[in-house]
Amino acid sequence: MVDQFFDESREQSQVKTSIVQKYLMAWFNVIKRHAQRSGNKVAYLDLFAGPGRYQDGTLSTPLLILQKAIEHPELREMLITVFNDKDQKNSQALEIAIQSLPNLDRLRYQPEVRNKEVGIEMINEVERLTAVPTIFFVDPWGYKGLSLQLINSVLKGWACECIFFFNYARINAGLSNPLVKQHMDALFGERRADLLRPRLAEYSATERELAIVEELSLALQEMGGKYVLPFRFKRLDGSRTSHHLIFVSKHPKGYEIMKDVMARESSGDEDGVPTFEYNESFRSSGILFEFARPISHLKEMLLDEYAGRTMAMNAIYESHHLGRRFVKNNYKTALLELEQAGSITCNPPVGKRRKKKGLPTFGDQVIAQFPLQPKG
């Protein structure tokens, strides 16, 4: 039951909320000057907001976002918030919970709570609302109302980003259920969903997950969400995937910011490379395979893909990290290890660069020269 979802604040939900909060603040710090010059407004939309509190009293995402805004002198002068839940009981409880927040009157724009079904009318309304930079958070209990059209409605605007909770367990089951075909078609696109269904019957559980997330990512990219970043959540026993938190952006800067946020929220790392997962590490291929390769593989890729080229570290990072789970520090580690092994030459060389805590560093502007053929 939907109500049971709010019976307790699961650790998974806390990680999800932490990612959304941290991204909102990092995003705001990047775009606030431009936003101040062009209307002095930014927005946060949540169309499946829930009652605001779990049964144990813990605040859920809407209230935590508002708390963060109340505490921030600039954000509270600019943030417009719209929360919606089609369940009237939830929307009424959320309204009461919001009004109980301390110092709510510090917000220049008071939160708006709605009680509507998420459909075509809501999609058209979202398109009107996103005339200002917007974070669009979509966290449905299942899949009804979640569609490519809904996500696309927010991505059209400048600095408008979407973060949605993708209920993998239910969508995996739904793709083979003719009774919910229209919902699956709305999420993947009818043609793509029809091509995907017969393939899934031949796949193992792991292959099914890879194919489903891959096809969703491709569908999002086709409609303009060029940069797609998944973060996986496992069930409490670690046996299966329950959800993916999917980030969609039109701009590489947003992708880079979210990658850093998700990296810090990962439950572990492999060879210093974050797993982009809450629980066990990725073991996959396709779009997820690129999020499962440690430093040794990164060094091999760099030697192969940049053979014969000379580039600054930051240029290498910016041209290579998209679609992969490596963060900037991973590139610095890989390049430093290649330099120390004599596989590449650098300017300035390691002996002439500053050290940090007695250890050599690899700055953004250090030039790396790759041999035409990898050594060894």
Side-chain angles (χ1 to χ4, degrees), residues 19-20 22-31 134-135 155 158-163 225-230 246-264 276 317-318 321-323 327:
I19 290 172
V20 175
K22 289 176 180 177
Y23 182 77
L24 171 67
M25 297 312 301
W27 166 85
F28 176 71
N29 286 332
V30 170
I31 61 97
T134 301
I135 297 295
L155 290 177
W158 178 80
C160 291
E161 321 271 48
C162 182
I163 307 167
K226 187 176 180 181
Y227 303 99
V228 181
L229 188 61
I246 308 285
F247 172 73
V248 192
S249 177
K250 301 190 303 296
H251 199 282
K253 185 62 178 177
Y255 179 95
E256 182 179 3
I257 292 170
M258 181 56 94
K259 178 183 277 191
D260 287 342
V261 171
M262 288 182 171
R264 291 193 296 271
F276 288 81
Y317 162 72
E318 290 180 351
H321 82 102
L322 298 173
V327 294

Side-chain angles (χ1 to χ4, degrees), residues 10-17 165 233-234 242-243 278:
R10 297 174 176 83
E11 193 169 357
Q12 181 184 97
S13 297
Q14 294 172 345
V15 172
K16 171 194 66 179
T17 298
F165 215 38
F233 292 84
K234 288 284 191 177
S242 61
H243 294 79
Y278 181 71

Side-chain angles (χ1 to χ4, degrees), residues 146-183:
L146 180 59
S147 68
L148 289 175
Q149 190 177 4
L150 177 64
I151 297 167
N152 192 42
S153 67
V154 74
L155 290 177
K156 292 179 179 178
W158 178 80
C160 291
E161 321 271 48
C162 182
I163 307 167
F164 67 95
F165 215 38
F166 178 74
N167 191 325
Y168 172 74
R170 297 199 68 201
I171 289 167
N172 179 33
L175 278 163
S176 57
N177 183 353
L179 297 178
V180 295
K181 182 179 186 299
Q182 69 179 50
H183 298 303

Side-chain angles (χ1 to χ4, degrees), residues 175 181 184-185 190 192-201:
L175 278 163
K181 182 179 186 299
M184 297 298 102
D185 290 350
E190 185 174 5
R192 188 177 293 279
D194 285 343
L195 291 172
L196 178 61
R197 289 185 181 97
R199 290 165 48 202
L200 295 179

Side-chain angles (χ1 to χ4, degrees), residues 233-342:
F233 292 84
K234 288 284 191 177
R235 294 182 186 276
L236 292 179
D237 62 5
S239 62
R240 296 181 182 179
T241 298
S242 61
H243 294 79
H244 284 271
L245 190 66
I246 308 285
F247 172 73
V248 192
S249 177
K250 301 190 303 296
H251 199 282
K253 185 62 178 177
Y255 179 95
E256 182 179 3
I257 292 170
M258 181 56 94
K259 178 183 277 191
D260 287 342
V261 171
M262 288 182 171
R264 291 193 296 271
E265 292 296 330
S266 297
S267 58
D269 62 71
E270 297 169 347
D271 195 20
V273 182
T275 59
F276 288 81
E277 180 176 279
Y278 181 71
N279 207 319
E280 296 180 349
S281 62
F282 279 99
R283 307 182 188 279
S284 51
S285 59
I287 193 168
L288 296 184
F289 180 64
E290 293 297 349
F291 286 81
R293 310 186 73 182
I295 293 293
S296 60
H297 290 288
L298 176 58
K299 291 190 290 186
E300 293 171 7
M301 283 191 287
L302 294 178
L303 286 173
D304 180 57
E305 296 178 34
Y306 293 90
R309 301 173 67 180
T310 300
M311 297 176 67
M313 196 295 301
N314 204 47
I316 294 168
Y317 162 72
E318 290 180 351
S319 64
H320 193 265
H321 82 102
L322 298 173
R324 299 180 170 96
R325 69 179 173 112
F326 303 113
V327 294
K328 181 177 281 191
N329 280 342
N330 298 147
Y331 284 86
K332 293 184 176 186
T333 298
L335 290 168
L336 182 59
E337 290 182 6
L338 287 172
E339 181 186 20
Q340 291 174 325

